[in-house]
Structures are given as structure tokens and as C-alpha cells.
Amino acid sequence: MKKIISVVGARPNYMKVAPIHRAFQKYSKEITHLICHTGQHYDVNMSKIFFEELELPEPHFYLGVGSGSHSEQTAKIMIEFEKVLLNEKPDLVIVVGDVNSTIACSLVAVKLGIKVAHVEAGLRSFDRSMPEEINRLLTDQIADYLFVTEKSGIENLKNEGIPDEKIFFVGNTMSDSLVYYLPKIDKSQILNELNLLNEKYVVVTLHRPSNVDKSENLIRIFEEFKKIAEKYKIVFPIHPRTKKVLQSSGYDYSHPNFLIVDPIGYISFIKLVKNSIAVITDSGGIQEETTFLKIPCLTLRDNTERPITAELGTNKLIGTQYDKIALEFFKYLNSLKTDSTIPPLWDGKAAERITAKLVELLK
Ligand code: UD1
């Protein structure tokens, strides 16, 4: 029997690990698959609700590290995760995405001589001021098996000298979750609950430090949202980080067409996106989810590590000239391309490919 531990830490990790956990059930005679939650995100609506909705088991290990500076958080995860690995002696650790938990746990495992698989490898924004870019670069350098979601990932890894035999183009586990949960998403009552039935609305999410940590930037962004709100409702499930800055800014962000709510679970959130007129975001994963659902997405960033979403999908980078958000928004809606496509292998079967390959590699 081989033992594998998958790591989750922050909100964008859960929907990537859920399909992997499900796919491993098929191999339950050969593989014990366990989940370790680092506790990087800990609020109920940043964590627990996702476990329930995604039908994930209670994490087998919970490290409870919480917030802190990057070094503090990363170091705490390392100290606690090392104890788990020393006790459990797994054959493999799976990390996903690009959060601090991803690099912290990879580093611990590799130093203990335990193999590491990185799911969502090879994505690059080429912007090293983004903490996630550092996490991606370093994780990919030390991981043993690199599972790639889009073709840019293969090129990036090759350019960084990663040998071909470590790279596996498998598609996107995030879209596995979309495919699997779609029936449940369609039944969600969130539109009724928020009184949005038959309304035209825009979904907003913002949490990237470069956009939200300075209150003057956030205020400029909200001034633009007021212009958009003349025509559409703005539904904004607000990240704790963004909420703190907004509340301490003293800015009056009340508006009859703003619906600012606490972060919401996966099923309700995707339902909101699926029925929206467009999404404005600075998230990575939401660029992919909107591409899969063919919902127009305006990304408030100068670069993306997921170029396929702009090439084939519905994503448009509008940069960070905040005073132009409303202008860009209306321009984009008026010139929507109708030929967006779902990228190759985003077919709901990525986790099956990943688990099959890992079972073979561990033999
Ligand atoms: C993290 C990830 C980011 C990901 C995002 C998704 C890193 C470097 N960043 O950013 O890539 O897109 O998660 O949400 O790993 N907080 C709470 N409750 C929580 C979690 C956070 O109140 O459950 C607050 C804390 O004040 C904390 C702040 O949010 O200091 C930021 O949390 P942190 O985990 O450091 O980074 P995120 O901005 O969430």
C-alpha cells in the first residue's frame, strides 16, 4: 500500500484537490490518499464551507498556522508539516497551485527525500513582485512530477531546464470540479437569496495585494464601479484582506446598486458567475472558470500566468490604470468575441489522468 498526502491551504486549493481525492477512490486497494490542511485560510467561509460543498473528508491533518507575514506563515507551515511527514512517512506529497502552502510543503517533503507532485505547474506571469510567482518558480524547480494545465506551462518549464520526462500535460482539475458540480450549481438558490432573479449584474472579486492593500487604489476602483453601477448591479463577495482596507479607509462605499457580501462558498459563487453579465477580478482561478463557463472576464492585472484564457477564452486583461475600468468594461461588452473556446483537456478528466500517472510512477 502506498501513502499519498495532498496539501490544501487556501481557498483556491480545495476545488483542485477534491477531484484528485475522488479519483484516488478507484485505487483504494493500492493507495491511501490523505489530506493535510495547513490552515493558511481558516475563516468558515474561506475554508470549512468548501470542504462541505466539495464533499471532501475532514482533513486528516490540520496544521492551524493562520495568517502572518509571508516568512512567518511559510515557516510555520514548514515546521508543522515536517512533523506530519516524519510521523506518516508518505511515498508522495501532492501540492497544487501557487500559494504559500504550496512552496512550504514542497520544500519540506523534498528535503526529507519524499517525492513531490505539483498540480498546475509551469504557469508564469513573469512578474516576480507577485508572491505567487516566486512560489511557482521554486516549487517547479524542486518537484519531481509536474502536471500542466495549458500549453504555456510546458514551454515555460522547458525554458527553465526541466527535463521532458518530468512534465505531464493533463488539463485542469479546476474544470474537473466545474464539470462534476454543475448539476448542484444549477440548483443553487443564491440568486433568489440575493434578490438577483432576472437582474443584470456584474460579479467582482479583488484581493491581490497590489490592487487592494493601498486604500487610495481601492477607492479609485470603487469610483469606477459606481459608473458601472449606473447600468448594472455589482455583486462583490469581499475577501477579508480587501474588507479590512476598505473599512479602515473611511471611504463611503454605499450605493443602491452595490451588493457587498461576505465571501461565499463554491457552489453559490459559481452559480453567481454563471448567470452574470460579466466578471471583474484579479484572481487567477476565476480567469479559468469564466473561460470554461464562457462568461466575459475583465482582469485587473497587467499580466496573467494563464495566457490561454485570453488566447482562446473570454479573459481580457485591462491592466491597472484604475481610472479606465468603466471605459474598458463597456468597450469590452460592446465588442464581445463570440468564438471563445474551452482550452484543450479542460474536459473534467484531469484528475483521472493525474492519478493514473501517479499510480504508474509509484509502482
Ligand atoms: C492567498 C494566496 C493567493 C490566493 C488567495 C485566495 C499566497 C501568497 N496568497 O492570498 O495566491 O489567490 O489566498 O484567497 O499564498 N484572512 C482572514 N481569514 C482567512 C484568511 C485570511 O481574515 O481565513 C485575512 C488575514 O488578515 C490575512 C489576509 O486575509 O492576513 C491575507 O491572507 P493570506 O492567506 O496571507 O493571503 P491571501 O491574500 O488570502
Side-chain angles (χ1 to χ4, degrees), residues 44 135 141 194 214 221 225 246 267 298-299 353:
V44 169
N135 296 343
Q141 277 300 318
L194 295 180
K214 286 200 186 113
I221 293 171
F225 290 164
L246 193 61
I267 301 291
L298 287 104
T299 299
R353 294 185 193 101

Side-chain angles (χ1 to χ4, degrees), residues 13-300:
N13 296 156
Y14 315 124
M15 61 294 268
K16 295 170 193 165
V17 166
I20 294 175
H21 184 69
R22 215 169 21 252
F24 270 129
Q25 302 313 308
K26 194 169 120 190
Y27 302 100
S28 59
K29 290 208 178 87
E30 315 154 64
I31 304 275
T32 305
H33 181 245
L34 303 172
I35 293 174
C36 177
H37 190 328
T38 64
Q40 178 174 347
H41 283 172
Y42 44 86
D43 283 0
V44 169
N45 55 11
M46 298 293 283
S47 175
K48 193 168 190 297
I49 187 170
F50 288 85
F51 271 75
E52 291 164 4
E53 289 190 343
L54 300 172
E55 301 153 35
L56 277 164
E58 283 281 309
H60 304 88
F61 314 99
Y62 185 73
L63 308 184
V65 300
S67 304
S69 71
H70 281 266
S71 303
E72 237 173 356
Q73 193 177 55
T74 309
K76 274 195 205 159
I77 298 169
M78 289 180 68
I79 291 168
E80 295 306 317
F81 192 57
E82 185 173 53
K83 294 178 194 162
V84 171
L85 294 189
L86 289 172
N87 272 329
E88 296 293 324
K89 302 188 176 50
D91 300 281
L92 176 83
V93 167
I94 299 179
V95 295
V96 299
D98 55 17
V99 301
N100 286 343
S101 302
T102 311
I103 177 61
C105 294
S106 306
L107 198 48
V108 174
V110 164
K111 293 234 172 156
L112 289 175
I114 298 168
K115 295 253 185 276
V116 172
H118 183 205
V119 172
E120 202 186 90
L123 297 181
R124 296 290 179 268
S125 65
F126 302 101
D127 172 4
R128 291 198 180 192
S129 69
M130 254 181 113
E132 293 82 359
E133 183 73 354
I134 306 299
N135 296 343
R136 293 180 201 116
L137 278 161
L138 298 184
T139 302
D140 287 341
Q141 277 300 318
I142 58 178
D144 298 276
Y145 311 123
L146 300 164
F147 292 105
V148 174
T149 54
E150 62 164 83
K151 64 178 189 323
S152 72
I154 306 172
E155 292 311 308
N156 295 333
L157 292 173
K158 286 187 178 176
N159 290 339
E160 287 165 22
I162 308 278
D164 285 359
E165 58 271 21
K166 285 186 164 186
I167 306 172
F168 307 97
F169 179 37
V170 290
N172 194 332
T173 57
M174 199 139 190
S175 50
D176 290 5
S177 277
L178 288 172
V179 170
Y180 183 81
Y181 297 107
L182 222 44
K184 210 163 153 183
I185 290 162
D186 284 336
K187 289 200 197 99
S188 157
Q189 290 302 310
I190 188 73
L191 301 187
N192 296 335
E193 284 161 26
L194 295 180
N195 253 331
L196 285 167
L197 213 53
N198 300 325
E199 297 244 18
K200 300 239 161 153
Y201 63 89
V202 179
V203 175
V204 171
T205 83
L206 291 176
H207 72 282
R208 214 151 280 293
S210 54
N211 283 331
V212 307
D213 279 3
K214 286 200 186 113
S215 60
E216 60 267 31
N217 285 347
L218 205 49
I219 291 168
R220 283 166 68 200
I221 293 171
F222 265 81
E223 285 298 306
E224 292 293 299
F225 290 164
K226 284 183 179 167
K227 294 180 196 164
I228 296 172
E230 284 169 23
K231 189 137 186 235
Y232 301 110
K233 271 200 173 169
I234 304 268
V235 184
F236 189 172
I238 195 162
H239 188 286
R241 169 179 215 122
T242 313
K243 189 175 179 181
K244 273 182 205 159
V245 180
L246 193 61
Q247 285 182 334
S248 61
S249 71
Y251 173 71
D252 177 13
Y253 53 91
S254 57
H255 187 287
N257 266 349
F258 284 177
L259 200 57
I260 299 178
V261 296
D262 283 335
I264 50 182
Y266 178 75
I267 301 291
S268 309
F269 181 73
I270 300 295
K271 173 80 174 188
L272 272 182
V273 169
K274 195 165 174 262
N275 288 273
S276 68
I277 185 113
V279 173
I280 301 178
T281 190
D282 60 7
S283 151
I286 295 171
Q287 297 172 46
E288 296 182 342
E289 288 165 331
T290 46
T291 274
F292 185 88
L293 296 166
K294 304 199 172 195
I295 297 295
C297 177
L298 287 104
T299 299
L300 254 188

Side-chain angles (χ1 to χ4, degrees), residues 341-360:
T341 54
I342 296 176
L345 300 189
W346 293 20
D347 57 359
K349 296 188 178 131
E352 283 173 34
R353 294 185 193 101
I354 291 168
T355 50
K357 180 49 78 181
L358 287 175
V359 168
E360 179 193 317

